[in-house]
Each structure stands twice: as C-alpha cells, then as structure tokens.
Amino acid sequence: MPKQRITKETVVQAAFEIARNSGMEQVMVKTIAQKIGCSVQPIYSYCNNMDGLRKDVTERVNAFVQNYISAGIDKNDVFASTGKSYIRLAKEEPNLFKIFILHNRSNITSLDELYQSETNPEMAELISKKLNITVSQAKKLHLNMLIYTIGIGTILSVASPGISPDEIYEQQETAYKAFLSHAIENKE
C-alpha cells in the first residue's frame, strides 16, 4: 500500500473535525495524528506551533459559520432569520458556535467597534427600512439583538440535555420587542 501523503490541508481538516466533534481543547497533535492515522511527525512538520493551527481552525470555523448562516437566511426577513440561524447553529453545532463566539477579537475597545467588526454594514439600513426607524435606531436594535443572541446562543450551546429552540425563539422575540420599543423611545 502506498504511503499516505499528509498535507497541511489534511491536518487542518482533521483538526477542524476534532474541534467540531469534541471542542477546540481536544485539538492536539496526538489526537490529530490518531484521526489521520499517522505518527505525530507529519503534524509537527506543518504546525510550527498549536496557536497557528488553532488560528487556521478558527478561520475554517468562521467560514463554516458564515456559510451556515447564509444558508438559513430568509430573504423576506433577513434580520429575524439571521438571529434564528445563530440559535440553530448553537443547537446543532455547539462546539463550532463556542469557537466562533469565543475566539479572540483584537483591537476591540467599544461595543461600536464590536458592532462594526461583526456585522454586515448593510443590515442597519435594511432594518431601518423594514421597521421605518432611523439608521441610528436600527443600529442600536441590531447591536442589542447581537449581544442578546450571542448570550442566549451560548447558554443553548452549553445546556445539557438542551433547551427547546422554540423556547429560545420565543425568548428572542420577547427581547426583540423590548429592544425595538427602547430604540423607538430613544430617538436621536
């Protein structure tokens, strides 16, 4: 039987699968080698350090999340369907959700910077037009829902045996109504 060629892609894909199934804390040279079916030597040849490999895995997770969320968007209600997609992700892919949410975000010193780095710049305008509110109000609503959805999604991703997504969606809707009312009351 010919020797298996181990590539960096093979290593990163194996590490991604381990992270997806067991969490980033299980991404170790030994577990990757076991998954691929090789010695640890080929892994070390592609990974100068585990931080670099974990960064590659995080980039793969981010791409997975973006594709997952995009696939779940209802064009008729982009805002609500995006929030629900994140909740589904937390339920269906809890390890990837945690990696996505908990990865380091450098140079963030305010919630506004977080908002700018994590959101589609067109979303506030879409929300503004759909709800007939100002762009500033839409940004506040969107930021509040972003924070809330991350929080409740994190709870969902760590709750065992799990909370019903319907219960989470109901709570998300309650928060949306409260945040919308607050945004409308606080016109600028």
Side-chain angles (χ1 to χ4, degrees), residues 115-126 135 139 142:
Y115 182 80
Q116 297 302 322
S117 73
E118 297 293 317
T119 63
N120 178 335
E122 297 169 1
M123 185 60 82
E125 292 180 23
L126 284 169
V135 172
K139 283 182 180 178
H142 192 200

Side-chain angles (χ1 to χ4, degrees), residues 44 92 103 105 121 159 162 169 173:
Y44 283 119
E92 294 172 7
H103 77 271
R105 288 163 172 83
Y169 295 147
E173 183 66 22

Side-chain angles (χ1 to χ4, degrees), residues 92-126:
E92 294 172 7
E93 299 283 355
N95 291 317
L96 297 183
F97 182 83
K98 286 183 266 187
I99 294 165
F100 175 72
I101 294 304
L102 299 176
H103 77 271
N104 188 30
R105 288 163 172 83
S106 300
N107 301 316
I108 301 293
T109 61
S110 69
L111 290 176
D112 185 58
E113 288 177 2
L114 176 70
Y115 182 80
Q116 297 302 322
S117 73
E118 297 293 317
T119 63
N120 178 335
E122 297 169 1
M123 185 60 82
E125 292 180 23
L126 284 169

Side-chain angles (χ1 to χ4, degrees), residues 23-181:
M24 187 68 93
E25 58 278 358
Q26 294 303 312
V27 175
M28 299 176 279
V29 172
K30 180 181 162 187
T31 56
I32 296 167
Q34 288 172 343
K35 176 122 181 109
I36 296 172
C38 68
S39 72
V40 297
Q41 185 55 42
I43 312 304
Y44 283 119
S45 69
Y46 290 110
C47 305
N48 293 335
N49 62 53
M50 288 305 290
D51 289 339
L53 177 59
R54 287 190 179 105
K55 183 177 182 237
D56 291 342
V57 171
T58 299
E59 288 173 6
R60 179 141 319 166
V61 168
N62 290 344
F64 177 93
V65 168
Q66 296 310 316
N67 289 332
Y68 184 98
I69 299 304
S70 293
I73 291 178
D74 174 357
K75 302 292 185 216
N76 295 317
D77 195 355
V78 174
F79 183 48
S81 64
T82 299
K84 286 183 177 183
S85 289
Y86 277 105
I87 296 303
R88 271 192 311 281
L89 175 70
K91 179 72 173 171
E92 294 172 7
E93 299 283 355
N95 291 317
L96 297 183
F97 182 83
K98 286 183 266 187
I99 294 165
F100 175 72
I101 294 304
L102 299 176
H103 77 271
N104 188 30
R105 288 163 172 83
S106 300
N107 301 316
I108 301 293
T109 61
S110 69
L111 290 176
D112 185 58
E113 288 177 2
L114 176 70
Y115 182 80
Q116 297 302 322
S117 73
E118 297 293 317
T119 63
N120 178 335
E122 297 169 1
M123 185 60 82
E125 292 180 23
L126 284 169
I127 296 167
S128 171
K129 288 176 185 168
K130 180 171 177 74
L131 299 176
N132 197 27
I133 59 177
T134 67
V135 172
S136 176
Q137 290 169 315
K139 283 182 180 178
K140 286 180 184 177
L141 172 63
H142 192 200
L143 175 61
N144 284 329
M145 286 306 298
L146 173 71
I147 293 167
Y148 188 83
T149 299
I150 288 169
I152 202 161
T154 301
I155 291 167
L156 181 61
S157 73
V158 298
S160 180
I163 301 169
S164 159
D166 289 337
E167 185 177 357
I168 298 293
Y169 295 147
E170 183 179 323
Q171 191 63 38
Q172 199 177 28
E173 183 66 22
T174 299
Y176 164 74
K177 288 175 184 173
F179 290 138
L180 177 59
S181 176

